[in-house]
């Protein structure tokens, strides 16, 4: 190995992907443009990783010259990929942060259906944890704070949004009526 590949780098994560229990891609981000540059190569890599890991009890694998850490939950498989010399604990901290953040966002329902229903939140979480392969955050509470997620809030439905707008409109109408009354009384005095 040449000395350039052994130098420390901030670009820790090469790829991150989430697969369902059939090995189908639900989300993927590749941060190294030279690593599997085409969609076909990425899919082949993901299938190979899935085939080697979906029945294993391990958390770390070394495949195709890459360090892969992974975790499964019900019908989802979460993967974080780094270079062969990458610190597995760093990669695992990213994986745990991703999993714990999604557990909160999905209200402990870390399943395919809920993940697909909340993809915008999933992308926000991934982008807060990793940017261009650089680890930005490994604390799930900080990630949730940055994406403005509050665990006591229920997701907004159309009905709750309409109710919120109606309440604001009623409040605004009351304020306007009060202002009109004050102006009227100040003119009459």
């Amino acid at each position: 190995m040449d000395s350039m590949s052994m130098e420390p780098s901030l670009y820790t994560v090469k790829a991150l992907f989430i697969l369902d229990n059939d090995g189908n891609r639900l989300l993927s981000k590749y941060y190294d443009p030279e690593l599997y540059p085409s969609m076909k190569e990425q899919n082949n890599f993901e299938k190979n990783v899935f085939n080697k890991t979906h029945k294993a009890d391990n958390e770390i694998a070394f495949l195709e010259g890459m360090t892969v850490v992974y975790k499964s939950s019900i019908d989802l498989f979460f993967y974080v990929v780094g270079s062969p010399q990458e610190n597995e604990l760093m990669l695992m901290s990213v994986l745990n942060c991703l999993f714990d953040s999604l557990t909160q966002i999905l209200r402990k329902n870390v399943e395919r259906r809920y993940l697909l229903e909340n993809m915008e939140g999933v992308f926000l979480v991934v982008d807060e944890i990793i940017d261009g392969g650089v680890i930005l955050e490994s604390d799930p509470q900080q990630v949730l704070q940055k994406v403005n997620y509050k665990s006591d809030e229920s997701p907004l439905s159309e009905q709750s949004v309409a109710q919120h707008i109606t309440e604001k409109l009623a409040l605004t109408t009351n304020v306007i009526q009060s202002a009109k009354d004050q102006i009227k009384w100040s003119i009459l005095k």
Side-chain angles (χ1 to χ4, degrees):
M1 239 180 221
D2 62 5
S3 62
M4 290 298 287
S5 64
M6 295 303 288
E7 288 186 26
S9 172
L10 288 175
Y11 298 96
T12 308
V13 179
K14 300 293 182 192
L16 177 146
F17 50 93
I18 302 173
L19 306 177
D20 66 11
N21 59 347
D22 296 323
N24 298 316
R25 176 192 290 184
L26 300 176
L27 175 143
S28 75
K29 286 207 147 190
Y30 284 79
Y31 300 104
D32 185 348
E34 296 171 10
L35 177 70
Y36 311 111
S38 74
M39 187 72 73
K40 183 177 180 183
E41 289 173 309
Q42 291 174 7
N43 284 330
N44 288 338
F45 174 67
E46 291 166 15
K47 290 288 184 196
N48 186 22
V49 169
F50 178 77
N51 290 335
K52 299 234 193 287
T53 60
H54 78 281
K55 291 183 181 177
D57 277 343
N58 304 325
E59 295 178 333
I60 301 171
F62 298 97
L63 300 167
E64 298 184 23
M66 303 306 288
T67 303
V68 180
V69 295
Y70 59 97
K71 181 182 278 201
S72 66
S73 172
I74 304 175
D75 58 353
L76 296 174
F77 290 84
F78 300 84
Y79 297 92
V80 176
V81 180
S83 64
Q85 69 269 10
E86 197 55 65
N87 184 332
E88 294 89 0
L89 294 175
M90 289 290 292
L91 297 175
M92 191 56 83
S93 72
V94 170
L95 180 64
N96 288 333
C97 181
L98 172 67
F99 187 82
D100 293 346
S101 298
L102 293 180
T103 299
Q104 289 297 316
I105 291 220
L106 301 176
R107 310 220 186 297
K108 300 189 186 335
N109 295 312
V110 186
E111 300 175 37
R112 182 181 192 273
R113 179 178 137 217
Y114 296 104
L115 183 96
L116 292 174
E117 289 175 358
N118 294 286
M119 268 320 240
E120 66 281 349
V122 175
F123 277 108
L124 284 172
V125 164
V126 170
D127 289 343
E128 285 299 328
I129 297 172
I130 306 164
D131 183 25
V134 177
I135 300 171
L136 299 177
E137 189 61 66
S138 61
D139 178 10
Q141 294 308 315
Q142 290 296 318
V143 171
L144 294 172
Q145 186 177 11
K146 288 178 183 175
V147 298
N148 292 326
Y149 174 78
K150 294 176 181 57
S151 60
D152 59 345
E153 286 183 1
S154 60
L156 291 176
S157 65
E158 286 182 37
Q159 184 177 11
S160 62
V161 170
Q163 182 180 359
H164 180 73
I165 291 172
T166 304
E167 289 169 1
K168 291 291 184 188
L169 186 58
L171 181 63
T172 305
T173 303
N174 289 342
V175 168
I176 291 173
Q177 187 59 46
S178 175
K180 284 180 181 178
D181 290 344
Q182 286 180 0
I183 292 171
K184 179 172 78 174
W185 286 110
S186 68
I187 292 174
L188 293 175
K189 284 185 178 181

